């Protein structure tokens, strides 16, 4: 159906094995399906089509055995309050976001600056953003499948350039969302104010001066960044633990060395050439799946691969892609021309007038280590099984 609608833009569907499959054949088939699905989602016109949305809706509902019916869904705000929605279990994240925005009075033209996320809010004050919800994903179904993780569905801003705040300050609804999220990130130690700045923030918060609060917090370290859970990296040597902040065109790592010394490193996006996410399989105790994100970085004129072992690899990949897309939009508005290096399979006879310095070579390495280029929403395919297709 997709090929009839979109022609050669859709890759051929992987052929099935009609005889009994061995384990290696099943792994091969699963890898091919992963590659196919992720390549298909590169094109937003495909993912927004009725055919694709209908297919993926049925796939999610069949996989988790959830029929279409009326249900209530809570969408949480950064201050801990929630908006209860009366929805259908088959409603997509795009639809849920629209309804949430309508209830908050957020204008349609500003919806694009926000997105839905799954997050974990721990009793000890730690906030962990698990993943961004894909537009075509069914939030109700996904939440049911993630019950053991105790996740909540929340709305947060979705841009990596802090200067974009200014576009939202004149709207009461968007100003409130930014204000609540800024307070949350200060409390959860995502943002690093000085002692004097903290006193000023407390004064402004006490007086409910939201605009001035945001103006001040924008000056602070790591405002507008996404903080990842502590993870392991191989830089500058293997086995180092790291606290990672992503935003403002950098990956900032506070690395703890085996000698217990700490080292802060900033990996700039304009020196990053490519990255890939790899599924490494379950851990030895069988409890969690292991993911890694590796990126190719120009360190003093030498290209090297740097590896981060984190369950939030897909979220990190989304953030990197978002930063690059914002760079391209900014270059377009300023009339700049930035060189782009496009993978062979994505080249066409027409050359874009706006080019990008990085290689858009988002690689998801499947179990068989096939290199593909997924959409930023690729992690929604993690739970799809061979028999589901």
């Amino acid at each position: 159906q997709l090929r009839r609608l979109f022609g050669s833009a859709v890759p051929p569907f992987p052929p099935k094995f009609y005889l009994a499959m061995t384990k290696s054949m099943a792994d091969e088939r699963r890898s091919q399906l992963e590659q196919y699905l992720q390549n298909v989602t590169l094109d937003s016109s495909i993912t927004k089509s009725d055919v694709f949305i209908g297919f993926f809706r049925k796939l999610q509902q069949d996989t988790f055995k959830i029929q279409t019916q009326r249900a209530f869904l809570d969408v949480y705000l950064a201050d801990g309050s929630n908006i209860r929605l009366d929805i259908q279990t088959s409603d997509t994240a795009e639809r849920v976001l629209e309804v949430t925005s309508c209830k908050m009075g957020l204008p349609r033209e500003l919806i694009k600056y926000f997105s839905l996320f799954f997050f974990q809010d721990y009793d000890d004050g730690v906030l962990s953003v698990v993943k961004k919800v894909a537009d075509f994903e069914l939030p109700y179904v996904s939440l049911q499948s993630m019950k053991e993780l105790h996740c909540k569905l929340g709305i947060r801003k979705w841009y990596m350039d802090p200067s974009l705040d200014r576009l939202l300050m004149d709207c009461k609804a968007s100003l409130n969302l930014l204000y609540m999220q800024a307070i949350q990130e200060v409390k959860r130690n995502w943002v690093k104010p000085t002692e004097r700045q903290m006193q000023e923030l407390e004064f402004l918060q006490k007086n409910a001066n939201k605009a001035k609060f945001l103006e001040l917090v924008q000056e602070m370290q790591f405002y507008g960044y996404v903080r990842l859970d502590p993870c392991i990296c191989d830089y500058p040597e293997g086995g180092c633990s790291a606290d990672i902040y992503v935003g403002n065109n950098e990956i900032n790592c506070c690395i703890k060395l085996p000698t217990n010394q700490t080292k802060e490193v900033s990996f700039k996006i304009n020196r990053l050439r490519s990255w890939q996410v790899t599924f490494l399989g379950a851990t030895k105790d069988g409890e969690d799946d292991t993911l890694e994100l590796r990126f190719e970085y120009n360190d003093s004129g030498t290209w090297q691969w740097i590896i981060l072992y984190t369950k939030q690899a897909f979220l990190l990949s989304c953030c990197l892609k978002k930063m690059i897309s914002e760079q391209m939009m900014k270059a377009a508005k300023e009339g700049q021309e930035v060189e782009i290096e496009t993978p062979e399979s994505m080249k066409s006879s027409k050359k874009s007038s706006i080019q990008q310095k990085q290689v858009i070579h988002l690689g998801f390495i499947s179990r068989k280590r096939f290199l593909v280029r997924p959409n930023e929403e690729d992690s929604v395919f993690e739970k799809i099984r061979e028999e589901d297709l």
Side-chain angles (χ1 to χ4, degrees):
Q1 288 179 300
L2 289 175
R3 286 184 72 83
R4 283 199 297 269
L5 284 173
F6 299 100
S8 59
V10 180
F13 194 82
K16 280 193 171 185
F17 293 104
Y18 289 97
L19 301 177
M21 290 191 293
T22 64
K23 184 180 184 302
S24 61
M25 293 169 68
D27 286 343
E28 178 78 14
R29 169 71 172 164
R30 185 175 288 107
S31 296
Q32 292 173 350
L33 292 173
E34 285 176 350
Q35 185 179 22
Y36 171 81
L37 288 169
Q38 293 166 44
N39 280 335
V40 163
T41 59
L42 278 170
D43 191 335
S44 61
S45 63
I46 294 177
T47 59
K48 291 182 180 297
S49 69
D50 291 339
V51 171
F52 181 86
I53 292 173
F55 161 77
F56 200 77
R57 176 185 285 117
K58 184 177 186 302
L59 179 59
Q60 292 175 88
Q61 290 184 273
D62 288 352
T63 299
F64 301 108
K65 298 179 174 57
I66 295 178
Q67 298 179 344
T68 298
Q69 59 187 10
R70 182 181 174 186
F72 291 103
L73 182 66
D74 290 328
V75 178
Y76 286 84
L77 307 182
D79 66 351
S81 64
N82 68 281
I83 298 173
R84 173 153 289 193
L85 305 180
D86 187 350
I87 64 158
Q88 295 289 311
T89 55
S90 56
D91 283 344
T92 63
E94 185 175 35
R95 171 63 180 163
V96 171
L97 181 60
E98 288 176 354
V99 175
T100 305
S101 301
C102 181
K103 279 185 170 286
M104 293 188 301
L106 186 67
R108 181 172 290 273
E109 64 269 18
L110 298 183
I111 295 177
K112 63 184 178 181
Y113 295 105
F114 297 89
S115 187
L116 296 175
F117 294 83
F118 291 124
F119 69 95
Q120 295 167 313
D121 199 358
Y122 296 102
D123 293 337
D124 60 2
V126 174
L127 173 69
S128 175
V129 178
V130 177
K131 59 166 285 191
K132 179 183 177 296
V133 187
D135 286 345
F136 49 83
E137 192 171 352
L138 310 185
Y140 181 88
V141 175
S142 294
L143 272 177
Q144 299 307 305
S145 70
M146 300 166 68
K147 275 186 175 180
E148 68 280 1
L149 298 178
H150 304 291
C151 287
K152 294 179 180 179
L153 181 68
I155 182 171
R156 302 179 65 81
K157 67 180 182 182
W158 180 229
Y159 50 87
M160 308 302 294
D161 181 356
S163 68
L164 293 177
D165 278 4
R166 70 181 186 277
L167 303 177
L168 308 176
M169 300 283 278
D170 293 332
C171 169
K172 183 178 179 180
S174 55
L175 176 66
N176 285 336
L177 285 171
L178 295 183
Y179 179 66
M180 287 187 287
Q181 186 170 331
I183 290 175
Q184 180 194 54
E185 292 179 0
V186 171
K187 287 182 177 179
R188 302 306 176 90
N189 205 31
W190 281 31
V191 180
K192 306 290 186 181
T194 64
E195 186 176 344
R196 181 178 177 180
Q197 287 175 329
M198 191 66 201
Q199 291 174 351
E200 291 182 54
L201 288 177
E202 290 172 351
F203 175 79
L204 292 171
Q205 185 180 349
K206 183 179 179 180
N207 290 276
N209 194 332
K210 299 176 183 179
K212 289 292 185 182
F213 185 98
L214 287 170
E215 289 174 7
L216 177 59
V217 81
Q218 286 168 8
E219 301 173 5
M220 299 176 187
Q221 186 183 25
F222 298 137
Y223 174 73
Y225 286 60
V226 174
R227 182 177 182 177
L228 303 186
D229 298 345
C231 66
I232 303 298
C233 69
D234 74 339
Y235 183 91
E237 55 185 292
C240 295
S241 61
D243 289 326
I244 297 176
Y245 294 81
V246 191
N248 202 22
N249 298 320
E250 69 167 342
I251 304 173
N252 185 285
C253 300
C254 183
I255 300 170
K256 186 175 182 180
L257 304 173
T259 58
N260 287 328
Q261 295 177 307
T262 58
K263 179 178 182 179
E264 186 170 338
V265 182
S266 174
F267 299 106
K268 302 297 184 182
I269 289 298
N270 59 3
R271 296 172 65 185
L272 187 152
R273 184 162 66 179
S274 61
W275 73 88
Q276 60 192 40
V277 177
T278 307
F279 177 76
L280 302 176
T283 54
K284 291 181 180 180
D285 56 19
E287 290 183 358
D288 298 307
D289 290 337
T290 305
L291 295 170
E292 71 170 32
L293 184 142
R294 61 174 63 204
F295 56 91
E296 196 175 11
Y297 191 76
N298 190 334
D299 188 5
S300 302
T302 303
W303 290 100
Q304 69 177 99
W305 286 97
I306 295 168
I307 305 175
L308 303 174
Y309 299 94
T310 169
K311 290 188 289 185
Q312 294 164 296
F314 287 114
L315 175 63
L316 176 53
S317 180
C318 288
C319 293
L320 294 177
K321 191 170 183 180
K322 190 68 173 176
M323 286 190 285
I324 288 175
S325 68
E326 288 174 358
Q327 280 188 341
M328 293 181 71
M329 290 178 65
K330 189 173 182 179
K333 289 179 181 178
E334 295 175 355
Q336 297 176 356
E337 189 169 296
V338 187
E339 184 181 356
I340 187 171
E341 206 176 319
T342 308
E344 290 293 329
S345 61
M346 298 175 66
K347 287 183 179 178
S348 65
S349 57
K350 296 180 180 180
K351 293 187 177 180
S352 172
S353 59
I354 300 166
Q355 298 184 318
Q356 176 187 341
K357 190 172 182 180
Q358 290 82 9
V359 180
I360 305 302
H361 196 62
L362 302 189
F364 178 87
I365 306 301
S366 65
R367 296 166 183 81
K368 297 292 287 186
R369 301 192 67 80
F370 287 8
L371 181 63
V372 299
R373 291 162 295 278
N375 184 357
E376 62 183 32
E377 322 293 11
D378 50 18
S379 63
V380 299
F381 299 115
E382 286 181 44
K383 295 182 181 295
I384 296 178
R385 302 166 298 175
E386 155 67 15
E387 55 268 32
D388 296 324
L389 294 178

